Amino acid sequence: MKPTSRAVRAVVSTGPTAGQPLPHHPAEYEIRDPGDIRELLAAWPQDTGSGGPFECMCLGHDGRVTLYEAGGQSVRTVALSRAEPLAHLLDPAATKGIAARHRSRWAQAAPARLRAYAGAVARGEEPDRPGVPLALVFSWLGARRPQDADAASVLAVEAPVRLLADAPTAELAWAVRETDRGGLDGAVRFFARDEFTTRHPKRRRVPDTARDLLLRHARSHRPADLPVLERRLLRAPDDRVRRS
């Protein structure tokens, strides 16, 4: 049995000469779908006949792909610049490539009211801003996906964040109160990011109800984000205790 036939996962590192990445394309992503793996193996270059894994040690900045078996052991590594048609299959900009397939799957899994927006972003287009509740966008950002390491992983964060970044803090705070549990996870992720934390202090004032919901969720589910939230979520003036 060929070593490559044991492969169940592939890790792709895309270099500058391995295709022009679309915006929000990760520098490294994984392929786990059995159909994608079969297609990848069909395009894989022939073994050298040496009996050992084919390792190109001169990868430079051309990008590479490594196959892994179920136990986590790597079985093959090849430089993309030296492996046609494999390079085309893994080119981020190839419309029929695996990366485009990941982006399409991610877009199709978006909430119905956000699907057109997701599809446009996945194709590298500049979409119109959809008129949807921010609570739904928080839920979309917080959705847990089995493909979190695939070629759409960065896009899955950046696309909803684009819809949240320019929203007034008061609207964001109200959406925190209206969103679901998954949305609270997305809200914590957003409020801990630079898109919110670099705002002017006057735009970081959050009413107590929303602030407490965010801190409580972070404390229980995203403790790494808690210190940032405690420092950057300022209380709204009307929520402060006034002493006589």
Side-chain angles (χ1 to χ4, degrees):
M1 182 172 65
K2 291 183 179 180
T4 52
S5 65
R6 303 195 305 266
V8 298
R9 179 172 67 96
V11 176
V12 182
S13 299
T14 305
T17 62
Q20 181 59 43
L22 293 173
H24 312 307
H25 183 77
E28 183 175 284
Y29 67 93
E30 295 188 5
I31 300 172
R32 294 175 177 267
D33 180 81
D36 291 345
I37 291 292
R38 285 193 296 271
E39 188 172 1
L40 185 71
L41 295 181
W44 196 265
Q46 293 295 315
D47 290 345
T48 61
S50 63
F54 175 67
E55 299 281 353
C56 176
M57 303 307 293
C58 303
L59 300 178
H61 299 289
D62 296 324
R64 65 186 182 273
V65 56
T66 302
L67 299 178
Y68 292 86
E69 61 183 15
Q73 180 69 31
S74 64
V75 293
R76 286 290 187 272
T77 295
V78 66
L80 295 181
S81 64
R82 305 186 181 198
E84 294 287 355
L86 190 63
H88 181 71
L89 183 64
L90 298 176
D91 184 344
T95 57
K96 294 184 179 180
I98 289 179
R101 199 172 304 158
H102 288 183
R103 295 192 299 267
S104 178
R105 288 173 185 160
W106 163 77
Q108 292 169 12
R113 298 175 67 180
L114 287 160
R115 208 161 291 154
Y117 168 81
V121 176
R123 293 188 297 270
E125 301 170 2
E126 189 60 39
D128 295 331
R129 184 184 179 92
V132 297
L134 295 180
L136 177 62
V137 183
F138 279 143
S139 295
W140 190 31
L141 177 58
R144 295 190 180 277
R145 296 161 296 275
Q147 69 277 17
D148 276 343
D150 75 6
S153 57
V154 175
L155 189 62
V157 175
E158 299 301 330
V161 165
R162 287 178 60 179
L163 297 176
L164 298 166
D166 296 329
T169 303
E171 293 182 17
L172 292 168
W174 188 258
V176 169
R177 300 174 64 169
E178 293 184 323
T179 197
D180 54 19
R181 183 180 295 273
L184 279 177
D185 201 73
V188 168
R189 292 177 72 177
F190 172 74
F191 280 91
R193 287 175 60 94
D194 286 347
E195 285 82 358
F196 181 80
T197 60
T198 56
R199 293 185 177 195
H200 188 278
K202 288 184 178 179
R203 299 186 65 213
R204 295 206 311 269
R205 299 192 184 281
V206 179
D208 272 350
T209 300
R211 185 176 183 275
D212 290 346
L213 283 170
L214 292 167
L215 294 177
R216 192 180 309 130
H217 186 86
R219 193 172 292 113
S220 301
H221 301 284
R222 298 185 66 88
D225 291 327
L226 184 61
V228 175
L229 295 181
E230 289 178 330
R231 290 195 310 270
R232 301 298 178 89
L233 289 181
L234 306 180
R235 295 183 184 277
D238 292 343
D239 290 325
R240 293 177 177 174
V241 177
R242 300 187 181 186
R243 293 184 175 87
S244 57

